[in-house]
Amino acid sequence: MNKRVSLLGATGSIGDSTLKVIDAFPDRFQLQLMVAGRSWRKMLSLVKKYRPVSVAMFDPDSAEHLRKELSGLPVKVYAGEQGIIQAIQETPVDITVSAIVGAAGLQPTMAAIHMKSDVALANKEALVIAGVFVKEAARKMNVQILPVDSEHNAIHQCLRGGRRAEVRRIVLTASGGPFRTCKGDLSLITPQQALKHPTWKMGPKITIDSSTMMNKGLEVIEAYHLFDCEKEQIEAVIHPQSIVHSMVEFLDGSILAQMGVTSMTHPVQYALSYPDRMESPFGYLDFTQTLDLHFEAIDRERFPCIELACIALEKPTVWPCVLNAANEVAVEAFLGGAIKYTAIPEIIKNAMNAFEHSNVIHLEHVLELDKAARNHARSLINQFTKDAL
């Protein structure tokens, strides 16, 4: 069966991996819609190669540049946030790869679900900030949410070997990031240092999140929603080799672990081809080579972001949204040189305390809370400038 594919976040790292999978299986996947932010030149080359029916750019100026360059080609160009939603509504597909970074991916993901498209979810923030509403919409539309994050993709595969009721715990693995063995003062870390991930090649925001362990904290929240488990059933451990992508322990003490090479093409291929499996052209583990499988606990005092994420699940419809919003603001400020590395968790903690008594009942409340939490976090930046610290 030839699946029609929509790619949200076409110019990012997950977009690159998705296009490699589509290239490898041209008879299985047909790219219909491509969405990106501002990288219109890269999008132009992609559109000329893949010839989708529709493209959309979040930035209206970038959309206009693209529209001019594509004049004469049978490709419809959409602009802005509402344009992206309209493109999703007007371009029927079988599966949507949701890889827009951050909370900006929520509304496009919801739009895809309402169009009855299965979702290959790489945008963890959609579940983090609005997991209850995303899951309910997927249930009503009878669509599948297939995780692309390597850890949750691994759990999804492991759970094919047992029933949910038989699960004792889920164990997410973390590479540990670039500062796992750092003994120095973390407040002196620069953006350039934090962007040097030892294992994975990712975008700047997720690379910083990996270094602070916030990425793993967000994944704990994502797992809570994806796999309908209690927060006490979810654990995270450091596994520097990134060979075991995650594990499931069952009630009888048996553990299923998913292993593979460190390439996002594998989880993307799994999600796009599910429930089938196809022979991979992207490499295999070589068991004739020494495989050092080392695991260790996460130092939650040194990396408090993961602890904040676990605390956020005490108010699962409020605090995860605030945590994510404040983190996005703080990471942007750090990358821009406005605050020190260690100010990131401080800003997040302050924001969570500020919204402790908030309430969320509808999806609109999530969007309002996200905006309010971002504004609050921005108001804190001046208090955490390098000079102030």
Side-chain angles (χ1 to χ4, degrees):
M1 174 183 174
N2 190 296
K3 286 187 181 180
R4 299 167 298 172
V5 179
S6 170
L7 178 52
L8 313 182
T11 58
S13 59
I14 296 296
D16 291 342
S17 295
T18 302
L19 294 174
K20 288 178 182 177
V21 174
I22 290 173
D23 287 341
F25 302 98
D27 296 331
R28 293 294 300 267
F29 306 114
Q30 182 181 2
L31 194 56
Q32 297 288 95
L33 169 63
M34 304 176 76
V35 175
R38 292 177 172 82
S39 302
W40 68 268
R41 288 184 177 85
K42 182 174 181 178
M43 180 66 97
L44 176 62
S45 65
L46 294 177
V47 171
K48 288 182 176 180
K49 177 179 179 179
Y50 293 98
R51 299 299 177 96
V53 174
S54 310
V55 297
M57 303 295 293
F58 182 83
D59 177 56
D61 290 338
S62 299
E64 186 58 31
H65 284 301
L66 191 62
R67 186 178 288 111
K68 290 178 180 178
E69 294 291 335
L70 292 173
S71 62
L73 290 180
V75 180
K76 190 169 183 179
V77 180
Y78 297 80
E81 185 175 358
Q82 288 307 310
I84 291 172
I85 302 301
Q86 184 181 356
I88 292 169
Q89 293 170 341
E90 296 180 356
T91 312
V93 297
D94 301 301
I95 188 165
T96 297
V97 179
S98 177
I100 296 174
V101 175
L106 172 60
Q107 300 232 58
T109 301
M110 290 293 285
I113 291 172
H114 286 302
M115 293 306 296
K116 297 186 178 181
S117 166
D118 288 337
V119 175
L121 189 67
N123 171 266
K124 63 175 65 66
E125 290 85 356
L127 280 179
V128 167
I129 71 175
V132 172
F133 304 103
V134 173
K135 290 291 294 295
E136 178 62 16
R139 185 191 65 79
K140 286 183 177 180
M141 293 295 108
N142 193 31
V143 303
Q144 298 184 91
I145 298 177
L146 300 162
V148 170
D149 264 354
S150 61
E151 297 82 1
H152 303 84
N153 189 275
I155 297 301
H156 191 277
Q157 295 189 54
C158 291
L159 287 173
R160 296 173 78 171
R163 297 190 299 271
R164 298 288 176 92
E166 299 172 330
V167 174
R168 179 176 179 269
R169 61 174 174 161
I170 287 171
V171 182
L172 304 171
T173 58
S175 67
F179 309 124
R180 177 177 64 90
T181 59
C182 176
K183 302 300 182 183
D185 185 351
L186 295 183
S187 70
L188 301 178
I189 288 170
T190 66
Q192 292 72 26
Q193 291 171 318
L195 288 169
K196 293 180 180 179
H197 196 280
T199 307
W200 296 96
K201 181 181 179 182
M202 305 175 290
K205 193 268 181 182
I206 192 173
T207 304
I208 299 301
D209 283 349
S210 179
S211 75
T212 64
M213 293 289 176
M214 176 55 83
N215 193 45
K216 205 53 49 182
L218 296 177
E219 288 172 4
V220 168
I221 299 171
E222 185 182 7
Y224 171 82
H225 290 294
L226 270 176
F227 305 119
D228 298 319
C229 54
E230 300 298 326
K231 60 185 178 68
E232 292 80 12
Q233 291 180 286
I234 308 168
E235 296 183 21
V237 298
I238 288 176
H239 171 50
Q241 296 77 27
S242 298
I243 294 173
V244 175
H245 297 304
S246 279
M247 300 171 277
V248 173
E249 182 181 50
F250 293 93
L251 294 173
D252 61 359
S254 298
I255 296 175
L256 294 185
Q258 191 271 336
M259 304 169 67
V261 297
T262 54
S263 169
M264 288 305 298
T265 52
H266 287 268
V268 169
Q269 179 180 320
Y270 172 85
L272 287 180
S273 61
Y274 183 84
D276 301 328
R277 289 188 185 269
M278 303 185 300
E279 185 174 351
S280 172
F282 303 115
Y284 297 85
L285 278 181
D286 183 356
F287 284 94
T288 66
Q289 302 298 314
T290 301
L291 295 181
D292 180 16
L293 302 183
H294 174 70
F295 301 91
E296 61 188 66
I298 297 174
D299 185 343
R300 298 195 176 203
E301 290 187 7
R302 193 162 176 78
F303 299 100
C305 283
I306 187 170
E307 185 65 23
L308 290 171
C310 293
I311 292 171
L313 281 174
E314 295 175 9
K315 293 176 70 70
T317 61
V318 175
W319 271 346
C321 178
V322 175
L323 171 126
N324 180 74
N327 179 64
E328 288 190 14
V329 170
V331 168
E332 183 180 10
F334 170 67
L335 286 171
I339 62 172
K340 288 187 176 181
Y341 185 76
T342 48
I344 295 174
E346 292 297 325
I347 290 172
I348 296 167
K349 183 178 180 180
N350 186 303
M352 289 173 64
N353 289 336
F355 291 91
E356 181 177 3
H357 302 293
S358 297
N359 195 19
V360 168
I361 300 175
H362 304 293
L363 181 61
E364 292 74 17
H365 296 159
V366 173
L367 302 176
E368 293 169 2
L369 180 61
D370 175 74
K371 182 178 179 180
R374 288 173 190 276
N375 288 336
H376 180 82
R378 290 188 186 103
S379 74
L380 298 173
I381 297 299
N382 288 338
Q383 299 177 34
F384 288 91
T385 59
K386 292 182 176 180
D387 290 339
L389 288 170

